[in-house]
Amino acid sequence: MRYLLASAVFLSLASAAAIPTNQGTQKGNESSNGNGTNKKITVGLGPRPYYLVDNMDEGPLKSKLQSCSEGPFMTSDFVFAHRGAPLQFPEHTIESYSAARRMGAGVIECDVAFTKDKQLVCRHAQCDLHTTTNILNRTDLASKCTTPFTPATSNGTAAKAKCCTSDITQAEFKTLCGKMDGFNPNATTVEEYLDGTPYFRTDLYSTCGTLQTHNEYIALVNGWGLKFTPELKKPEVPMPFQGYTQQQYAQDMINAYKAANIDPSRVWAQSFVPDDIFYWIQNEPAFGRQAVYLDERVDTVAGYANATASLPGLAARGVKIMAPAFFALTKVDNATGAIVPSEYAVAAKAAGLELVTWSFERSGWLNKGGDYYYQYVKPVINNDGDMYTVLDVLVHQVGITHMFTDWAATLTYFASCFGL
């Protein structure tokens, strides 16, 4: 999913129940049928869901959620772990994935990018190594970056750097440490540049996150008996890349699941690039049935209208699942002041499309109306607990089937309470 944080945030930076399904305990052995290993774990949520429920306005929804305070809490496929658990752990690392698993995520994401030697690895963007790893502190690798670090200047020019997975080999990638995503644009040194974690996150676990290749991620998640949602990231280098085409890139991602004998029903392949979705529908129909079209067209007024109008046509072309950011699925009814399904949501339902959405727990404090993800309902948002108010509309009125989140516990609490 895209990295969405207001530039103002960066400029201000100075410096329990045991079950791997939502039906009950599953037992089994890792096998060649692609079903994975079903291991009994205890789902733990920590204090955050309780804080959010306590923070809600009084009403039936709050009472319902309070009634679920003692569980049981279960792993749920409703919960898509967006980059693992990046609210507190370095994204796309073993540590981040493990935290998401422990908090009940039934589906874990790997954003897929390729290296210089055309191997697939888990990174949110092809060119984010300068903000998500320690590459700039690695004198043996920093010089290989597309744009080496340049310090901020006294005349207001921001610090910059650009380091891509395609700048280094997979072996070199594996020597890096994952860190919390962020940077300080006012930095005059590499150390200052790397010290840019957003205010609502933490560096508590940002010691040296263990990066994952795509194949390692598959083995890890399969070993846990969970499910997969890989996103084919849009290349930031001209394609073909040294002869490597977009189609081969899309095929290589699917081939990794076929090689690991993963049942396609356990995989939700995603892309913002429509041609990737159509490629999978045509060439890998077993995977194409659950291909997720990430819809960024909704970011502008004109784009939102065009996207809404296009939904019947996309359904006719075989697209089954649409996934805009969740702001696009709700609006405020001016007559009642209630949060209701948006025009996009209504059109998707009419076209027979399934809706997945993103991303919960990426917004920081909501006591001032929220940010990008709450833009269409901002007038009625005034506390952190309103996250659950919006989620309730998304689930029970819009009808979303899965949701990406940066902190699985928040969704697991809701999902377990409502049997999702």
Side-chain angles (χ1 to χ4, degrees), residues 178-235:
K179 77 172 194 70
M180 295 299 285
D181 191 8
F183 71 99
N184 177 1
N186 303 312
T188 58
T189 66
V190 165
E191 290 71 21
E192 289 176 349
Y193 185 83
L194 296 175
D195 185 17
T197 302
Y199 73 91
F200 58 90
R201 296 184 182 148
T202 178
D203 286 315
L204 183 62
Y205 305 109
S206 191
T207 51
C208 182
T210 309
L211 303 193
Q212 292 282 273
T213 69
H214 183 223
N215 286 335
E216 288 172 334
Y217 151 84
I218 292 173
L220 184 72
V221 175
N222 192 46
W224 290 337
L226 300 179
K227 299 178 182 179
F228 313 84
T229 183
E231 181 193 337
L232 194 74
K233 299 306 298 188
K234 185 176 181 179

Short mmCIF file of all heavy atoms in Angstrom, two decimals, residues 178-235:
data_model
loop_
_atom_site.label_atom_id
_atom_site.label_comp_id
_atom_site.label_asym_id
_atom_site.label_seq_id
_atom_site.Cartn_x
_atom_site.Cartn_y
_atom_site.Cartn_z
N GLY A 178 16.12 -3.49 9.03
CA GLY A 178 14.91 -2.71 8.89
C GLY A 178 14.77 -1.72 10.03
O GLY A 178 15.15 -2.01 11.17
N LYS A 179 14.24 -0.52 9.71
CA LYS A 179 13.96 0.48 10.74
C LYS A 179 12.56 1.04 10.51
O LYS A 179 11.93 0.76 9.49
CB LYS A 179 15.00 1.61 10.69
CG LYS A 179 14.82 2.61 9.55
CD LYS A 179 15.76 3.79 9.70
CE LYS A 179 15.37 4.96 8.78
NZ LYS A 179 14.11 5.64 9.20
N MET A 180 12.07 1.83 11.45
CA MET A 180 10.77 2.46 11.28
C MET A 180 10.82 3.42 10.10
O MET A 180 11.78 4.19 9.93
CB MET A 180 10.36 3.19 12.55
CG MET A 180 10.13 2.28 13.74
SD MET A 180 8.80 1.07 13.49
CE MET A 180 7.35 2.10 13.66
N ASP A 181 9.79 3.37 9.27
CA ASP A 181 9.75 4.19 8.07
C ASP A 181 9.63 5.67 8.44
O ASP A 181 8.76 6.06 9.23
CB ASP A 181 8.53 3.78 7.22
CG ASP A 181 8.54 4.39 5.83
OD1 ASP A 181 9.55 5.02 5.46
OD2 ASP A 181 7.54 4.22 5.13
N GLY A 182 10.51 6.47 7.89
CA GLY A 182 10.47 7.91 8.17
C GLY A 182 11.82 8.54 7.91
O GLY A 182 12.85 7.85 7.83
N PHE A 183 11.82 9.87 7.77
CA PHE A 183 13.07 10.60 7.57
C PHE A 183 12.89 12.02 8.06
O PHE A 183 11.77 12.51 8.24
CB PHE A 183 13.49 10.59 6.09
CG PHE A 183 12.61 11.44 5.21
CD1 PHE A 183 13.00 12.72 4.85
CD2 PHE A 183 11.39 10.97 4.75
CE1 PHE A 183 12.20 13.51 4.04
CE2 PHE A 183 10.58 11.75 3.93
CZ PHE A 183 10.98 13.03 3.57
N ASN A 184 14.00 12.69 8.28
CA ASN A 184 13.99 14.08 8.72
C ASN A 184 14.49 14.95 7.57
O ASN A 184 15.68 14.95 7.25
CB ASN A 184 14.89 14.25 9.95
CG ASN A 184 14.99 15.68 10.42
OD1 ASN A 184 14.38 16.59 9.87
ND2 ASN A 184 15.80 15.90 11.47
N PRO A 185 13.61 15.73 6.93
CA PRO A 185 14.03 16.52 5.77
C PRO A 185 14.96 17.67 6.11
O PRO A 185 15.56 18.25 5.22
CB PRO A 185 12.70 17.03 5.21
CG PRO A 185 11.80 17.07 6.38
CD PRO A 185 12.19 15.90 7.22
N ASN A 186 15.06 17.98 7.40
CA ASN A 186 15.94 19.08 7.82
C ASN A 186 17.34 18.59 8.19
O ASN A 186 18.16 19.37 8.69
CB ASN A 186 15.32 19.79 9.02
CG ASN A 186 13.93 20.31 8.73
OD1 ASN A 186 13.71 20.95 7.71
ND2 ASN A 186 12.97 20.01 9.60
N ALA A 187 17.62 17.33 7.93
CA ALA A 187 18.87 16.72 8.38
C ALA A 187 20.08 17.26 7.63
O ALA A 187 20.04 17.50 6.43
CB ALA A 187 18.79 15.21 8.20
N THR A 188 21.15 17.39 8.38
CA THR A 188 22.44 17.74 7.78
C THR A 188 23.43 16.59 7.85
O THR A 188 24.53 16.68 7.30
CB THR A 188 23.05 18.97 8.47
OG1 THR A 188 23.20 18.70 9.87
CG2 THR A 188 22.14 20.20 8.28
N THR A 189 23.03 15.51 8.53
CA THR A 189 23.86 14.30 8.59
C THR A 189 22.96 13.10 8.32
O THR A 189 21.73 13.17 8.45
CB THR A 189 24.51 14.11 9.98
OG1 THR A 189 23.47 13.87 10.95
CG2 THR A 189 25.31 15.35 10.38
N VAL A 190 23.59 11.98 7.97
CA VAL A 190 22.84 10.74 7.75
C VAL A 190 22.10 10.33 9.01
O VAL A 190 20.94 9.92 8.96
CB VAL A 190 23.79 9.62 7.29
CG1 VAL A 190 23.11 8.26 7.40
CG2 VAL A 190 24.25 9.86 5.85
N GLU A 191 22.75 10.46 10.15
CA GLU A 191 22.13 10.06 11.41
C GLU A 191 20.85 10.86 11.67
O GLU A 191 19.83 10.31 12.10
CB GLU A 191 23.11 10.23 12.57
CG GLU A 191 24.27 9.24 12.58
CD GLU A 191 25.30 9.50 11.48
OE1 GLU A 191 25.35 10.65 10.94
OE2 GLU A 191 26.04 8.56 11.14
N GLU A 192 20.90 12.15 11.40
CA GLU A 192 19.71 12.98 11.58
C GLU A 192 18.63 12.60 10.57
O GLU A 192 17.44 12.57 10.91
CB GLU A 192 20.07 14.46 11.42
CG GLU A 192 20.90 15.03 12.56
CD GLU A 192 21.31 16.48 12.30
OE1 GLU A 192 21.12 16.97 11.16
OE2 GLU A 192 21.82 17.11 13.24
N TYR A 193 19.03 12.30 9.36
CA TYR A 193 18.07 11.94 8.31
C TYR A 193 17.29 10.69 8.68
O TYR A 193 16.07 10.61 8.47
CB TYR A 193 18.82 11.72 7.00
CG TYR A 193 17.92 11.46 5.80
CD1 TYR A 193 17.35 12.52 5.10
CD2 TYR A 193 17.67 10.17 5.38
CE1 TYR A 193 16.53 12.30 3.99
CE2 TYR A 193 16.86 9.92 4.28
CZ TYR A 193 16.29 10.99 3.59
OH TYR A 193 15.48 10.76 2.50
N LEU A 194 17.97 9.71 9.24
CA LEU A 194 17.33 8.45 9.60
C LEU A 194 16.44 8.57 10.82
O LEU A 194 15.61 7.70 11.09
CB LEU A 194 18.39 7.37 9.82
CG LEU A 194 19.23 6.99 8.60
CD1 LEU A 194 20.33 6.01 8.99
CD2 LEU A 194 18.36 6.41 7.49
N ASP A 195 16.60 9.65 11.58
CA ASP A 195 15.85 9.85 12.82
C ASP A 195 14.58 10.65 12.51
O ASP A 195 14.47 11.83 12.83
CB ASP A 195 16.72 10.60 13.83
CG ASP A 195 16.04 10.75 15.18
OD1 ASP A 195 15.07 10.01 15.44
OD2 ASP A 195 16.47 11.60 15.97
N GLY A 196 13.60 9.99 11.89
CA GLY A 196 12.40 10.70 11.45
C GLY A 196 11.12 9.91 11.66
O GLY A 196 10.16 10.07 10.90
N THR A 197 11.07 9.09 12.69
CA THR A 197 9.87 8.30 12.94
C THR A 197 8.68 9.21 13.27
O THR A 197 8.80 10.08 14.12
CB THR A 197 10.10 7.31 14.10
OG1 THR A 197 11.20 6.46 13.77
CG2 THR A 197 8.87 6.45 14.36
N PRO A 198 7.53 9.04 12.61
CA PRO A 198 6.36 9.88 12.89
C PRO A 198 5.96 9.84 14.36
O PRO A 198 6.16 8.84 15.05
CB PRO A 198 5.27 9.27 11.99
CG PRO A 198 6.03 8.67 10.86
CD PRO A 198 7.29 8.13 11.47
N TYR A 199 5.33 10.92 14.81
CA TYR A 199 5.04 11.11 16.24
C TYR A 199 4.17 10.01 16.84
O TYR A 199 4.28 9.71 18.03
CB TYR A 199 4.36 12.46 16.45
CG TYR A 199 2.92 12.52 15.98
CD1 TYR A 199 1.87 12.21 16.85
CD2 TYR A 199 2.60 12.85 14.66
CE1 TYR A 199 0.55 12.25 16.41
CE2 TYR A 199 1.29 12.89 14.23
CZ TYR A 199 0.26 12.59 15.10
OH TYR A 199 -1.04 12.62 14.67
N PHE A 200 3.32 9.38 16.04
CA PHE A 200 2.39 8.41 16.61
C PHE A 200 2.92 6.98 16.55
O PHE A 200 2.21 6.04 16.90
CB PHE A 200 1.02 8.49 15.90
CG PHE A 200 1.06 8.25 14.42
CD1 PHE A 200 0.91 6.98 13.90
CD2 PHE A 200 1.22 9.32 13.53
CE1 PHE A 200 0.93 6.76 12.54
CE2 PHE A 200 1.23 9.10 12.17
CZ PHE A 200 1.10 7.83 11.66
N ARG A 201 4.17 6.83 16.16
CA ARG A 201 4.80 5.52 16.16
C ARG A 201 5.90 5.49 17.23
O ARG A 201 5.97 6.38 18.06
CB ARG A 201 5.34 5.18 14.77
CG ARG A 201 4.20 5.08 13.75
CD ARG A 201 4.68 4.66 12.40
NE ARG A 201 3.54 4.63 11.47
CZ ARG A 201 3.61 4.89 10.19
NH1 ARG A 201 4.79 5.23 9.65
NH2 ARG A 201 2.55 4.83 9.41
N THR A 202 6.74 4.48 17.20
CA THR A 202 7.76 4.33 18.22
C THR A 202 9.00 3.68 17.64
O THR A 202 8.92 2.93 16.67
CB THR A 202 7.24 3.46 19.39
OG1 THR A 202 8.28 3.28 20.36
CG2 THR A 202 6.81 2.08 18.91
N ASP A 203 10.15 3.95 18.24
CA ASP A 203 11.40 3.29 17.87
C ASP A 203 11.77 2.18 18.86
O ASP A 203 12.88 1.66 18.82
CB ASP A 203 12.53 4.30 17.80
CG ASP A 203 12.45 5.18 16.55
OD1 ASP A 203 12.20 4.62 15.47
OD2 ASP A 203 12.62 6.40 16.66
N LEU A 204 10.82 1.82 19.71
CA LEU A 204 11.11 0.84 20.76
C LEU A 204 11.66 -0.47 20.21
O LEU A 204 12.56 -1.07 20.79
CB LEU A 204 9.84 0.58 21.58
CG LEU A 204 9.96 -0.37 22.77
CD1 LEU A 204 10.93 0.19 23.81
CD2 LEU A 204 8.59 -0.60 23.41
N TYR A 205 11.13 -0.90 19.08
CA TYR A 205 11.55 -2.18 18.50
C TYR A 205 12.41 -1.99 17.25
O TYR A 205 12.67 -2.95 16.52
CB TYR A 205 10.32 -3.03 18.16
CG TYR A 205 9.40 -3.22 19.34
CD1 TYR A 205 8.16 -2.58 19.39
CD2 TYR A 205 9.76 -4.04 20.41
CE1 TYR A 205 7.31 -2.74 20.48
CE2 TYR A 205 8.91 -4.21 21.49
CZ TYR A 205 7.70 -3.56 21.52
OH TYR A 205 6.86 -3.72 22.60
N SER A 206 12.85 -0.78 17.01
CA SER A 206 13.61 -0.49 15.80
C SER A 206 15.10 -0.63 16.05
O SER A 206 15.86 0.32 15.98
CB SER A 206 13.28 0.94 15.32
OG SER A 206 13.80 1.17 14.03
N THR A 207 15.50 -1.85 16.35
CA THR A 207 16.91 -2.12 16.63
C THR A 207 17.63 -2.62 15.37
O THR A 207 18.57 -2.01 14.90
CB THR A 207 17.05 -3.13 17.78
OG1 THR A 207 16.23 -4.28 17.50
CG2 THR A 207 16.59 -2.50 19.09
N CYS A 208 17.14 -3.73 14.83
CA CYS A 208 17.65 -4.22 13.55
C CYS A 208 16.67 -5.23 13.02
O CYS A 208 16.83 -6.44 13.18
CB CYS A 208 19.04 -4.84 13.69
SG CYS A 208 19.75 -5.41 12.10
N GLY A 209 15.59 -4.73 12.39
CA GLY A 209 14.57 -5.62 11.87
C GLY A 209 15.12 -6.54 10.79
O GLY A 209 15.94 -6.14 9.97
N THR A 210 14.65 -7.78 10.80
CA THR A 210 15.14 -8.80 9.88
C THR A 210 14.35 -8.76 8.57
O THR A 210 13.18 -9.13 8.52
CB THR A 210 15.00 -10.21 10.51
OG1 THR A 210 15.59 -10.20 11.82
CG2 THR A 210 15.69 -11.25 9.64
N LEU A 211 14.99 -8.29 7.50
CA LEU A 211 14.32 -8.18 6.21
C LEU A 211 14.01 -9.55 5.63
O LEU A 211 14.67 -10.54 5.93
CB LEU A 211 15.19 -7.38 5.23
CG LEU A 211 15.62 -5.98 5.64
CD1 LEU A 211 16.19 -5.24 4.42
CD2 LEU A 211 14.47 -5.17 6.23
N GLN A 212 13.00 -9.57 4.74
CA GLN A 212 12.53 -10.82 4.16
C GLN A 212 12.53 -10.78 2.64
O GLN A 212 12.10 -9.78 2.03
CB GLN A 212 11.10 -11.10 4.64
CG GLN A 212 10.98 -11.42 6.11
CD GLN A 212 11.41 -12.84 6.40
OE1 GLN A 212 10.62 -13.78 6.31
NE2 GLN A 212 12.67 -13.02 6.74
N THR A 213 12.99 -11.85 2.04
CA THR A 213 12.74 -12.04 0.62
C THR A 213 11.30 -12.52 0.46
O THR A 213 10.66 -12.96 1.43
CB THR A 213 13.69 -13.06 -0.01
OG1 THR A 213 13.36 -14.37 0.52
CG2 THR A 213 15.14 -12.74 0.31
N HIS A 214 10.78 -12.46 -0.74
CA HIS A 214 9.43 -12.94 -0.99
C HIS A 214 9.31 -14.43 -0.68
O HIS A 214 8.34 -14.87 -0.05
CB HIS A 214 9.08 -12.67 -2.46
CG HIS A 214 7.69 -13.05 -2.84
ND1 HIS A 214 7.39 -13.71 -4.01
CD2 HIS A 214 6.50 -12.86 -2.21
CE1 HIS A 214 6.09 -13.90 -4.09
NE2 HIS A 214 5.52 -13.40 -3.02
N ASN A 215 10.30 -15.21 -1.07
CA ASN A 215 10.27 -16.65 -0.79
C ASN A 215 10.33 -16.94 0.71
O ASN A 215 9.67 -17.86 1.20
CB ASN A 215 11.40 -17.36 -1.51
CG ASN A 215 11.16 -17.49 -3.01
OD1 ASN A 215 10.01 -17.49 -3.46
ND2 ASN A 215 12.23 -17.61 -3.79
N GLU A 216 11.12 -16.16 1.44
CA GLU A 216 11.18 -16.35 2.89
C GLU A 216 9.85 -16.02 3.54
O GLU A 216 9.40 -16.71 4.47
CB GLU A 216 12.29 -15.47 3.48
CG GLU A 216 13.69 -15.96 3.16
CD GLU A 216 14.77 -14.98 3.60
OE1 GLU A 216 14.48 -13.76 3.69
OE2 GLU A 216 15.91 -15.42 3.84
N TYR A 217 9.22 -14.97 3.07
CA TYR A 217 7.89 -14.60 3.57
C TYR A 217 6.88 -15.72 3.33
O TYR A 217 6.08 -16.06 4.23
CB TYR A 217 7.46 -13.30 2.87
CG TYR A 217 5.97 -13.10 2.68
CD1 TYR A 217 5.18 -12.57 3.70
CD2 TYR A 217 5.37 -13.41 1.46
CE1 TYR A 217 3.81 -12.36 3.49
CE2 TYR A 217 4.02 -13.20 1.25
CZ TYR A 217 3.24 -12.68 2.26
OH TYR A 217 1.90 -12.47 2.06
N ILE A 218 6.90 -16.31 2.14
CA ILE A 218 5.98 -17.40 1.84
C ILE A 218 6.20 -18.56 2.80
O ILE A 218 5.25 -19.12 3.37
CB ILE A 218 6.12 -17.85 0.38
CG1 ILE A 218 5.64 -16.75 -0.57
CG2 ILE A 218 5.35 -19.15 0.13
CD1 ILE A 218 5.89 -17.05 -2.04
N ALA A 219 7.45 -18.93 3.00
CA ALA A 219 7.74 -20.04 3.90
C ALA A 219 7.31 -19.73 5.33
O ALA A 219 6.77 -20.60 6.04
CB ALA A 219 9.24 -20.37 3.85
N LEU A 220 7.55 -18.50 5.76
CA LEU A 220 7.20 -18.10 7.12
C LEU A 220 5.70 -18.15 7.34
O LEU A 220 5.21 -18.79 8.29
CB LEU A 220 7.72 -16.68 7.38
CG LEU A 220 7.53 -16.10 8.78
CD1 LEU A 220 8.49 -16.77 9.76
CD2 LEU A 220 7.76 -14.59 8.77
N VAL A 221 4.94 -17.50 6.48
CA VAL A 221 3.49 -17.43 6.63
C VAL A 221 2.85 -18.80 6.44
O VAL A 221 1.92 -19.18 7.15
CB VAL A 221 2.90 -16.39 5.67
CG1 VAL A 221 1.38 -16.38 5.71
CG2 VAL A 221 3.44 -15.00 6.01
N ASN A 222 3.36 -19.57 5.49
CA ASN A 222 2.85 -20.93 5.30
C ASN A 222 3.09 -21.78 6.53
O ASN A 222 2.24 -22.58 6.93
CB ASN A 222 3.49 -21.56 4.07
CG ASN A 222 2.79 -22.83 3.64
OD1 ASN A 222 1.56 -22.88 3.57
ND2 ASN A 222 3.56 -23.87 3.35
N GLY A 223 4.25 -21.61 7.13
CA GLY A 223 4.57 -22.37 8.35
C GLY A 223 3.64 -22.04 9.50
O GLY A 223 3.43 -22.87 10.39
N TRP A 224 3.08 -20.86 9.48
CA TRP A 224 2.12 -20.46 10.52
C TRP A 224 0.69 -20.88 10.18
O TRP A 224 -0.22 -20.70 10.99
CB TRP A 224 2.14 -18.94 10.71
CG TRP A 224 3.38 -18.41 11.34
CD1 TRP A 224 4.26 -19.09 12.14
CD2 TRP A 224 3.89 -17.07 11.23
NE1 TRP A 224 5.28 -18.26 12.54
CE2 TRP A 224 5.08 -17.02 12.01
CE3 TRP A 224 3.46 -15.92 10.56
CZ2 TRP A 224 5.84 -15.86 12.13
CZ3 TRP A 224 4.21 -14.76 10.68
CH2 TRP A 224 5.39 -14.73 11.46
N GLY A 225 0.47 -21.39 8.96
CA GLY A 225 -0.87 -21.77 8.55
C GLY A 225 -1.76 -20.58 8.25
O GLY A 225 -2.99 -20.70 8.26
N LEU A 226 -1.16 -19.44 7.94
CA LEU A 226 -1.93 -18.23 7.63
C LEU A 226 -2.01 -18.03 6.12
O LEU A 226 -1.57 -18.89 5.34
CB LEU A 226 -1.29 -17.02 8.33
CG LEU A 226 -1.22 -17.11 9.85
CD1 LEU A 226 -0.56 -15.87 10.44
CD2 LEU A 226 -2.60 -17.32 10.46
N LYS A 227 -2.55 -16.89 5.69
CA LYS A 227 -2.77 -16.63 4.28
C LYS A 227 -1.96 -15.42 3.82
O LYS A 227 -1.37 -14.72 4.64
CB LYS A 227 -4.26 -16.47 4.02
CG LYS A 227 -5.03 -17.74 4.37
CD LYS A 227 -6.53 -17.63 4.18
CE LYS A 227 -7.22 -18.92 4.61
NZ LYS A 227 -8.70 -18.83 4.44
N PHE A 228 -1.96 -15.19 2.52
CA PHE A 228 -1.01 -14.27 1.89
C PHE A 228 -1.73 -13.17 1.12
O PHE A 228 -2.71 -13.42 0.43
CB PHE A 228 -0.12 -15.03 0.90
CG PHE A 228 0.45 -16.32 1.41
CD1 PHE A 228 -0.30 -17.49 1.37
CD2 PHE A 228 1.73 -16.37 1.95
CE1 PHE A 228 0.22 -18.70 1.84
CE2 PHE A 228 2.26 -17.56 2.43
CZ PHE A 228 1.51 -18.72 2.38
N THR A 229 -1.17 -11.97 1.18
CA THR A 229 -1.61 -10.92 0.27
C THR A 229 -0.40 -10.14 -0.24
O THR A 229 0.01 -9.14 0.34
CB THR A 229 -2.69 -10.00 0.89
OG1 THR A 229 -3.12 -9.05 -0.09
CG2 THR A 229 -2.24 -9.34 2.16
N PRO A 230 0.21 -10.62 -1.30
CA PRO A 230 1.36 -9.94 -1.90
C PRO A 230 0.91 -8.83 -2.83
O PRO A 230 -0.05 -9.00 -3.61
CB PRO A 230 2.06 -11.05 -2.68
CG PRO A 230 0.93 -11.95 -3.10
CD PRO A 230 -0.10 -11.89 -2.00
N GLU A 231 1.56 -7.69 -2.75
CA GLU A 231 1.27 -6.60 -3.69
C GLU A 231 2.44 -6.42 -4.64
O GLU A 231 3.58 -6.19 -4.20
CB GLU A 231 1.02 -5.28 -2.97
CG GLU A 231 0.68 -4.15 -3.95
CD GLU A 231 0.71 -2.76 -3.34
OE1 GLU A 231 0.56 -2.63 -2.12
OE2 GLU A 231 0.94 -1.79 -4.12
N LEU A 232 2.17 -6.50 -5.93
CA LEU A 232 3.20 -6.23 -6.93
C LEU A 232 3.39 -4.72 -7.03
O LEU A 232 2.52 -4.01 -7.53
CB LEU A 232 2.78 -6.81 -8.29
CG LEU A 232 3.89 -6.90 -9.33
CD1 LEU A 232 4.83 -8.04 -9.00
CD2 LEU A 232 3.29 -7.10 -10.72
N LYS A 233 4.50 -4.24 -6.52
CA LYS A 233 4.73 -2.79 -6.49
C LYS A 233 5.06 -2.26 -7.88
O LYS A 233 5.77 -2.89 -8.67
CB LYS A 233 5.88 -2.46 -5.53
CG LYS A 233 5.63 -2.88 -4.09
CD LYS A 233 4.33 -2.35 -3.52
CE LYS A 233 4.27 -0.84 -3.45
NZ LYS A 233 3.06 -0.37 -2.71
N LYS A 234 4.54 -1.08 -8.14
CA LYS A 234 4.82 -0.43 -9.42
C LYS A 234 6.30 -0.09 -9.50
O LYS A 234 6.84 0.57 -8.62
CB LYS A 234 3.98 0.84 -9.56
CG LYS A 234 4.11 1.50 -10.90
CD LYS A 234 3.17 2.70 -11.00
CE LYS A 234 3.27 3.37 -12.36
NZ LYS A 234 2.35 4.52 -12.48
N PRO A 235 7.00 -0.53 -10.53
CA PRO A 235 8.43 -0.24 -10.64
C PRO A 235 8.70 1.26 -10.70
O PRO A 235 7.92 2.02 -11.29
CB PRO A 235 8.84 -0.93 -11.94
CG PRO A 235 7.82 -2.00 -12.14
CD PRO A 235 6.54 -1.42 -11.62
#
